[in-house]
């Protein structure tokens, strides 16, 4: 596909299902901000769907996609940030079918600090755990929030440690 790719993320599901989340420039002749696209495979990557754009023209440019299969639906989380800034963006959450059509209303969590350097994990209960580098007066630390059936929790700063690129993983079966 045309347009430069800025970020990509891959998720594997059951029975050979794969999905790629891609942030890229729009295809010619369209110009403007980077958009989030997804494409999927139902046969272990032998064939792929066409790219489907998920981010909307009214949203700030997309960065850092995170994709997950949940049953037959795709959960997509990405950050967007104002043009020319690396702070004060939004974390978007969308649940879409494999064709990229919304099946639930989208939600947003407003960030007051950096919007790049994020990581996401989903636990066995389906709760999404989100971390991002947060600029504080004493240095960069970790901002944490979670998303479940009740929506986003407030952003917390539970760790008094200095970081440059946080990462999170869900481990265990409870």
């Amino acid at each position: 596909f045309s347009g430069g790719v800025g970020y990509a993320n891959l998720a594997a599901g059951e029975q050979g299902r794969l999905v790629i989340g891609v942030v890229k420039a729009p295809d010619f002749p369209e110009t403007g901000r980077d958009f989030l696209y997804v494409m999927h495979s139902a046969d272990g990557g032998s064939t792929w769907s066409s790219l489907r754009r998920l981010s909307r023209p009214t949203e700030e440019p997309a960065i850092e996609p995170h994709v997950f299969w949940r049953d037959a639906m795709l959960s997509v989380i990405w950050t967007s940030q104002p043009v020319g800034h690396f702070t004060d963006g939004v974390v978007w959450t969308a649940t879409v079918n494999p064709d990229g059509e919304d099946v639930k209303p989208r939600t947003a969590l407003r960030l007051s600090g950096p919007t790049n350097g994020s990581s996401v994990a989903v636990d066995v209960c389906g709760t999404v755990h989100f971390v991002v580098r947060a600029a504080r007066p004493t240095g960069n630390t970790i901002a944490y929030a979670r998303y479940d059936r009740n929506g986003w929790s407030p952003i917390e700063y539970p760790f008094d440690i200095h970081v440059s690129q946080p990462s999170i993983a869900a481990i265990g079966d409870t």
Side-chain angles (χ1 to χ4, degrees):
F1 44 81
S2 63
V5 173
Y7 300 90
N9 188 262
L10 170 70
E14 296 176 0
Q15 301 173 342
R17 291 186 304 165
L18 300 168
V19 64
I20 297 176
V22 176
V23 172
K24 66 179 233 37
D27 293 327
F28 183 81
E30 187 179 10
T31 60
R33 67 191 79 220
D34 289 349
F35 290 107
L36 170 67
Y37 297 81
V38 294
M39 58 187 196
H40 71 279
S41 172
D43 58 12
S46 295
T47 61
W48 289 89
S49 70
S50 60
L51 284 173
R52 309 274 188 193
R53 187 163 80 188
L54 288 189
S55 53
R56 297 174 176 148
T58 56
E59 294 171 8
E60 297 290 351
I63 61 172
E64 298 182 335
H66 304 283
V67 292
F68 305 92
W69 285 107
R70 284 187 174 168
D71 302 319
M73 296 297 132
L74 175 62
S75 291
V76 185
I77 296 171
W78 71 98
T79 52
S80 64
Q81 62 189 17
V83 175
H85 300 277
F86 294 100
T87 62
D88 303 326
V90 174
V91 181
W92 290 98
T93 305
T95 301
V96 299
N97 66 22
D99 291 325
E101 299 164 342
D102 285 306
V103 295
K104 288 173 44 175
R106 294 182 180 197
T107 62
L109 173 67
R110 173 74 51 193
L111 297 174
S112 61
T115 48
N116 59 341
S118 66
S119 180
V120 174
V122 179
D123 66 26
V124 296
C125 298
T127 300
V128 174
H129 301 272
F130 173 84
V131 294
V132 67
R133 180 182 60 234
R136 306 296 276 181
T138 58
N140 291 336
T141 189
I142 298 172
Y144 168 80
R146 69 195 154 275
Y147 178 80
D148 60 21
R149 68 174 85 72
N150 298 315
W152 282 102
S153 71
I155 295 175
E156 304 171 27
Y157 303 92
F159 311 104
D160 187 23
I161 56 175
H162 297 282
V163 299
S164 60
Q165 181 70 37
S167 183
I168 190 167
I171 301 171
D173 59 359
T174 58

